[in-house]
mmCIF file of all heavy atoms in Angstrom:
data_model
loop_
_atom_site.group_PDB
_atom_site.id
_atom_site.type_symbol
_atom_site.label_atom_id
_atom_site.label_comp_id
_atom_site.label_asym_id
_atom_site.label_seq_id
_atom_site.Cartn_x
_atom_site.Cartn_y
_atom_site.Cartn_z
ATOM 1 N N GLU A 16 -84.753 153.951 -80.684
ATOM 2 C CA GLU A 16 -83.470 154.555 -81.095
ATOM 3 C C GLU A 16 -83.310 154.538 -82.604
ATOM 4 O O GLU A 16 -82.482 153.813 -83.150
ATOM 5 C CB GLU A 16 -82.307 153.795 -80.433
ATOM 6 C CG GLU A 16 -82.424 153.654 -78.935
ATOM 7 C CD GLU A 16 -82.539 155.007 -78.234
ATOM 8 O OE1 GLU A 16 -81.805 155.930 -78.605
ATOM 9 O OE2 GLU A 16 -83.378 155.121 -77.322
ATOM 10 N N PHE A 17 -84.109 155.321 -83.297
ATOM 11 C CA PHE A 17 -83.925 155.455 -84.736
ATOM 12 C C PHE A 17 -84.162 156.917 -85.111
ATOM 13 O O PHE A 17 -84.956 157.614 -84.486
ATOM 14 C CB PHE A 17 -84.845 154.519 -85.522
ATOM 15 C CG PHE A 17 -86.322 154.740 -85.306
ATOM 16 C CD1 PHE A 17 -87.011 155.702 -86.041
ATOM 17 C CD2 PHE A 17 -87.023 153.984 -84.386
ATOM 18 C CE1 PHE A 17 -88.367 155.901 -85.844
ATOM 19 C CE2 PHE A 17 -88.375 154.175 -84.184
ATOM 20 C CZ PHE A 17 -89.055 155.145 -84.927
ATOM 21 N N PRO A 18 -83.461 157.394 -86.140
ATOM 22 C CA PRO A 18 -83.597 158.801 -86.526
ATOM 23 C C PRO A 18 -84.830 159.036 -87.396
ATOM 24 O O PRO A 18 -85.168 158.210 -88.243
ATOM 25 C CB PRO A 18 -82.311 159.058 -87.326
ATOM 26 C CG PRO A 18 -81.970 157.724 -87.908
ATOM 27 C CD PRO A 18 -82.424 156.697 -86.900
ATOM 28 N N LEU A 19 -85.478 160.158 -87.192
ATOM 29 C CA LEU A 19 -86.645 160.500 -88.003
ATOM 30 C C LEU A 19 -86.258 161.034 -89.382
ATOM 31 O O LEU A 19 -87.114 161.150 -90.248
ATOM 32 C CB LEU A 19 -87.505 161.538 -87.272
ATOM 33 C CG LEU A 19 -88.177 161.052 -85.996
ATOM 34 C CD1 LEU A 19 -88.953 162.187 -85.339
ATOM 35 C CD2 LEU A 19 -89.088 159.865 -86.265
ATOM 36 N N ASP A 20 -84.981 161.329 -89.578
ATOM 37 C CA ASP A 20 -84.558 161.862 -90.875
ATOM 38 C C ASP A 20 -83.977 160.798 -91.803
ATOM 39 O O ASP A 20 -83.463 161.107 -92.869
ATOM 40 C CB ASP A 20 -83.568 163.016 -90.702
ATOM 41 C CG ASP A 20 -82.336 162.632 -89.899
ATOM 42 O OD1 ASP A 20 -82.278 161.488 -89.398
ATOM 43 O OD2 ASP A 20 -81.429 163.474 -89.761
ATOM 44 N N ASP A 21 -84.064 159.529 -91.409
ATOM 45 C CA ASP A 21 -83.625 158.433 -92.275
ATOM 46 C C ASP A 21 -84.531 157.226 -92.056
ATOM 47 O O ASP A 21 -84.097 156.171 -91.588
ATOM 48 C CB ASP A 21 -82.161 158.072 -92.001
ATOM 49 C CG ASP A 21 -81.643 157.002 -92.957
ATOM 50 O OD1 ASP A 21 -82.240 156.814 -94.040
ATOM 51 O OD2 ASP A 21 -80.647 156.337 -92.603
ATOM 52 N N LEU A 22 -85.793 157.370 -92.401
ATOM 53 C CA LEU A 22 -86.761 156.298 -92.154
ATOM 54 C C LEU A 22 -86.525 155.094 -93.047
ATOM 55 O O LEU A 22 -86.769 153.965 -92.642
ATOM 56 C CB LEU A 22 -88.183 156.823 -92.330
ATOM 57 C CG LEU A 22 -88.592 157.929 -91.353
ATOM 58 C CD1 LEU A 22 -90.009 158.388 -91.641
ATOM 59 C CD2 LEU A 22 -88.445 157.466 -89.912
ATOM 60 N N SER A 23 -86.037 155.317 -94.267
ATOM 61 C CA SER A 23 -85.766 154.171 -95.140
ATOM 62 C C SER A 23 -84.606 153.347 -94.602
ATOM 63 O O SER A 23 -84.579 152.131 -94.750
ATOM 64 C CB SER A 23 -85.485 154.630 -96.573
ATOM 65 O OG SER A 23 -84.325 155.432 -96.618
ATOM 66 N N GLY A 24 -83.663 153.997 -93.927
ATOM 67 C CA GLY A 24 -82.533 153.293 -93.335
ATOM 68 C C GLY A 24 -82.873 152.620 -92.020
ATOM 69 O O GLY A 24 -82.073 151.857 -91.484
ATOM 70 N N ALA A 25 -84.046 152.916 -91.481
ATOM 71 C CA ALA A 25 -84.489 152.314 -90.223
ATOM 72 C C ALA A 25 -85.431 151.166 -90.523
ATOM 73 O O ALA A 25 -86.607 151.169 -90.164
ATOM 74 C CB ALA A 25 -85.172 153.371 -89.349
ATOM 75 N N GLY A 26 -84.928 150.154 -91.228
ATOM 76 C CA GLY A 26 -85.720 148.970 -91.526
ATOM 77 C C GLY A 26 -86.903 149.236 -92.428
ATOM 78 O O GLY A 26 -87.933 148.590 -92.317
ATOM 79 N N ARG A 27 -86.746 150.217 -93.340
ATOM 80 C CA ARG A 27 -87.806 150.630 -94.275
ATOM 81 C C ARG A 27 -89.058 151.070 -93.525
ATOM 82 O O ARG A 27 -90.188 150.779 -93.913
ATOM 83 C CB ARG A 27 -88.137 149.530 -95.280
ATOM 84 C CG ARG A 27 -87.037 149.235 -96.271
ATOM 85 C CD ARG A 27 -86.434 150.464 -96.976
ATOM 86 N NE ARG A 27 -87.366 151.421 -97.526
ATOM 87 C CZ ARG A 27 -87.686 151.508 -98.808
ATOM 88 N NH1 ARG A 27 -87.150 150.679 -99.671
ATOM 89 N NH2 ARG A 27 -88.526 152.434 -99.227
#
Side-chain angles (χ1 to χ4, degrees):
E16 307 303 317
F17 61 85
L19 293 178
D20 57 356
D21 184 20
L22 297 179
S23 63
R27 292 311 312 259

